[in-house]
Amino acid sequence: MTYLPDDVYALIEKSVPILCVDFFPFEVAPEGGERVGLILRHSPFGDVWCHLGGRVHRGESLRAAVDRHARDTLGVSVELPCDQPDYVYQWFPADIAPTDGTAHGDDPRKHSVGLTYLTRLTGAASPQNEALDFGYFPVDALPSPMWPGSADLLARVLQAR
Protein backbone atom coordinates (compact mmCIF):
# COMPACT_ATOMS: atom_id res chain seq x y z
CA MET A 1 0.00 0.00 0.00
CA THR A 2 1.46 3.37 -0.98
CA TYR A 3 0.74 6.27 1.34
CA LEU A 4 0.33 9.84 0.16
CA PRO A 5 2.54 12.61 1.47
CA ASP A 6 0.85 14.53 4.31
CA ASP A 7 0.36 17.69 2.23
CA VAL A 8 -1.29 15.80 -0.64
CA TYR A 9 -3.62 13.91 1.72
CA ALA A 10 -4.53 17.17 3.50
CA LEU A 11 -5.52 18.67 0.12
CA ILE A 12 -7.65 15.61 -0.67
CA GLU A 13 -9.38 15.78 2.75
CA LYS A 14 -10.27 19.41 2.11
CA SER A 15 -11.54 18.65 -1.42
CA VAL A 16 -13.66 15.48 -1.32
CA PRO A 17 -15.43 13.21 1.18
CA ILE A 18 -13.30 10.32 2.44
CA LEU A 19 -14.73 6.77 2.40
CA CYS A 20 -14.44 5.15 5.83
CA VAL A 21 -15.59 2.06 7.65
CA ASP A 22 -17.00 2.50 11.15
CA PHE A 23 -17.76 -0.42 13.43
CA PHE A 24 -19.06 -1.34 16.84
CA PRO A 25 -17.95 -4.64 18.39
CA PHE A 26 -21.12 -6.16 19.76
CA GLU A 27 -21.91 -8.96 22.20
CA VAL A 28 -24.54 -10.38 24.50
CA ALA A 29 -23.43 -9.88 28.09
CA PRO A 30 -23.06 -12.99 30.29
CA GLU A 31 -25.76 -11.59 32.60
CA GLY A 32 -28.00 -10.84 29.60
CA GLY A 33 -28.52 -7.70 27.60
CA GLU A 34 -26.51 -6.31 24.72
CA ARG A 35 -23.14 -4.59 25.03
CA VAL A 36 -21.13 -2.53 22.59
CA GLY A 37 -17.36 -2.14 22.46
CA LEU A 38 -15.87 1.35 22.40
CA ILE A 39 -12.36 2.76 22.47
CA LEU A 40 -11.10 5.70 24.48
CA ARG A 41 -8.94 7.93 22.29
CA HIS A 42 -7.37 11.36 22.04
CA SER A 43 -9.44 13.57 19.75
CA PRO A 44 -10.09 17.20 18.84
CA PHE A 45 -12.76 16.99 21.61
CA GLY A 46 -10.33 15.74 24.28
CA ASP A 47 -10.20 12.12 25.42
CA VAL A 48 -13.50 10.57 24.34
CA TRP A 49 -15.12 7.16 23.89
CA CYS A 50 -16.05 6.27 20.33
CA HIS A 51 -16.65 3.57 17.77
CA LEU A 52 -13.75 2.12 15.79
CA GLY A 53 -12.81 2.57 12.19
CA GLY A 54 -11.07 4.72 9.64
CA ARG A 55 -10.50 5.22 5.97
CA VAL A 56 -10.58 2.59 3.26
CA HIS A 57 -7.38 2.25 1.24
CA ARG A 58 -7.36 2.13 -2.55
CA GLY A 59 -7.70 -1.50 -3.66
CA GLU A 60 -8.88 -2.63 -0.22
CA SER A 61 -12.21 -4.40 0.26
CA LEU A 62 -14.56 -3.11 2.95
CA ARG A 63 -14.17 -6.37 4.88
CA ALA A 64 -10.37 -6.03 4.75
CA ALA A 65 -10.57 -2.39 5.91
CA VAL A 66 -12.68 -3.31 8.96
CA ASP A 67 -10.32 -6.15 9.82
CA ARG A 68 -7.22 -3.92 9.38
CA HIS A 69 -8.64 -1.29 11.73
CA ALA A 70 -9.55 -3.97 14.30
CA ARG A 71 -6.03 -5.41 14.17
CA ASP A 72 -4.35 -1.97 14.30
CA THR A 73 -6.51 -0.71 17.17
CA LEU A 74 -7.23 -3.82 19.26
CA GLY A 75 -4.92 -6.57 17.97
CA VAL A 76 -7.85 -8.79 16.97
CA SER A 77 -9.82 -9.80 13.90
CA VAL A 78 -13.55 -9.42 13.42
CA GLU A 79 -16.40 -11.60 12.26
CA LEU A 80 -18.05 -9.77 9.40
CA PRO A 81 -20.56 -11.95 7.53
CA CYS A 82 -20.81 -9.67 4.47
CA ASP A 83 -19.58 -6.39 3.03
CA GLN A 84 -23.08 -4.86 3.22
CA PRO A 85 -23.03 -2.14 5.92
CA ASP A 86 -25.66 -2.00 8.64
CA TYR A 87 -25.91 1.79 8.29
CA VAL A 88 -24.39 4.70 6.36
CA TYR A 89 -23.57 7.84 8.35
CA GLN A 90 -21.86 11.08 7.43
CA TRP A 91 -19.33 13.16 9.38
CA PHE A 92 -18.76 16.87 8.76
CA PRO A 93 -16.64 19.76 10.00
CA ALA A 94 -18.95 22.35 11.60
CA ASP A 95 -18.40 24.95 8.85
CA ILE A 96 -19.83 22.66 6.13
CA ALA A 97 -22.29 20.58 8.17
CA PRO A 98 -25.74 20.22 6.58
CA THR A 99 -28.58 22.31 7.93
CA ASP A 100 -31.34 20.37 6.15
CA GLY A 101 -31.94 17.87 8.94
CA THR A 102 -29.48 15.25 7.65
CA ALA A 103 -28.28 13.11 10.55
CA HIS A 104 -24.54 13.48 10.96
CA GLY A 105 -21.67 13.42 13.39
CA ASP A 106 -19.02 16.05 14.03
CA ASP A 107 -15.49 15.69 12.73
CA PRO A 108 -13.47 18.89 12.51
CA ARG A 109 -10.80 17.14 10.43
CA LYS A 110 -12.77 16.05 7.38
CA HIS A 111 -16.04 15.25 5.64
CA SER A 112 -16.33 11.48 5.52
CA VAL A 113 -18.90 8.86 4.67
CA GLY A 114 -18.84 5.97 7.12
CA LEU A 115 -20.14 2.54 6.17
CA THR A 116 -21.07 1.22 9.61
CA TYR A 117 -21.06 -2.38 10.84
CA LEU A 118 -21.94 -4.32 13.98
CA THR A 119 -19.19 -6.91 14.40
CA ARG A 120 -17.96 -9.61 16.74
CA LEU A 121 -14.33 -9.69 17.79
CA THR A 122 -12.24 -12.85 17.58
CA GLY A 123 -9.71 -12.95 20.39
CA ALA A 124 -9.00 -10.77 23.40
CA ALA A 125 -8.86 -7.06 22.62
CA SER A 126 -5.66 -5.27 23.58
CA PRO A 127 -5.82 -1.48 23.04
CA GLN A 128 -2.97 -0.11 20.93
CA ASN A 129 -2.09 2.77 18.62
CA GLU A 130 -5.00 5.28 18.82
CA ALA A 131 -6.85 3.26 21.49
CA LEU A 132 -6.00 4.36 25.02
CA ASP A 133 -8.53 1.89 26.43
CA PHE A 134 -11.28 -0.48 25.29
CA GLY A 135 -14.39 -1.66 27.04
CA TYR A 136 -17.82 -3.18 26.52
CA PHE A 137 -20.76 -1.11 27.74
CA PRO A 138 -24.50 -1.80 27.96
CA VAL A 139 -26.16 -0.15 24.96
CA ASP A 140 -28.40 1.79 27.34
CA ALA A 141 -25.52 2.97 29.61
CA LEU A 142 -22.80 4.38 27.36
CA PRO A 143 -19.75 6.08 28.91
CA SER A 144 -19.07 9.79 28.83
CA PRO A 145 -17.74 11.80 27.18
CA MET A 146 -18.35 10.38 23.72
CA TRP A 147 -17.27 11.61 20.29
CA PRO A 148 -20.12 13.87 19.05
CA GLY A 149 -22.36 11.70 16.88
CA SER A 150 -21.05 8.30 18.00
CA ALA A 151 -23.99 7.58 20.35
CA ASP A 152 -26.47 8.76 17.69
CA LEU A 153 -24.82 6.49 15.14
CA LEU A 154 -25.07 3.50 17.49
CA ALA A 155 -28.76 4.18 18.11
CA ARG A 156 -29.41 4.37 14.37
CA VAL A 157 -27.47 1.15 13.65
CA LEU A 158 -29.37 -0.72 16.36
CA GLN A 159 -32.71 0.60 15.10
CA ALA A 160 -31.91 -0.37 11.49
CA ARG A 161 -31.05 -4.02 12.20
Side-chain angles (χ1 to χ4, degrees):
M1 195 61 55
T2 303
Y3 290 88
L4 298 170
D6 290 344
D7 60 331
V8 173
Y9 186 70
L11 177 62
I12 291 169
E13 272 191 339
K14 291 191 180 308
S15 304
V16 296
I18 304 297
L19 179 63
C20 295
V21 289
D22 296 331
F23 62 99
F24 292 96
F26 195 74
E27 69 176 18
V28 175
E31 65 278 1
E34 298 172 320
R35 300 191 312 182
V36 62
L38 301 169
I39 60 169
L40 181 67
R41 63 171 293 185
H42 294 304
S43 81
F45 308 105
D47 289 355
V48 295
W49 291 95
C50 66
H51 58 281
L52 293 94
R55 72 184 181 97
V56 177
H57 290 166
R58 184 175 189 272
E60 183 177 48
S61 72
L62 299 175
R63 181 187 312 249
V66 171
D67 201 58
R68 174 176 54 84
H69 287 290
R71 281 183 281 105
D72 290 350
T73 309
L74 298 175
V76 296
S77 291
V78 296
E79 293 177 14
L80 190 62
C82 70
D83 284 343
Q84 182 66 37
D86 296 300
Y87 198 81
V88 178
Y89 198 71
Q90 299 177 77
W91 302 88
F92 291 91
D95 63 328
I96 63 168
T99 57
D100 63 359
T102 298
H104 67 278
D106 299 329
D107 191 336
R109 304 164 302 171
K110 65 185 178 291
H111 171 197
S112 63
V113 176
L115 306 178
T116 309
Y117 300 86
L118 289 177
T119 64
R120 297 210 186 279
L121 300 182
T122 58
S126 176
Q128 54 198 19
N129 295 320
E130 72 178 356
L132 304 173
D133 197 3
F134 173 78
Y136 278 101
F137 302 91
V139 296
D140 58 353
L142 299 176
S144 182
M146 285 192 67
W147 184 290
S150 197
D152 178 59
L153 172 57
L154 176 60
R156 291 171 183 277
V157 170
L158 293 175
Q159 184 178 25
R161 64 183 166 143

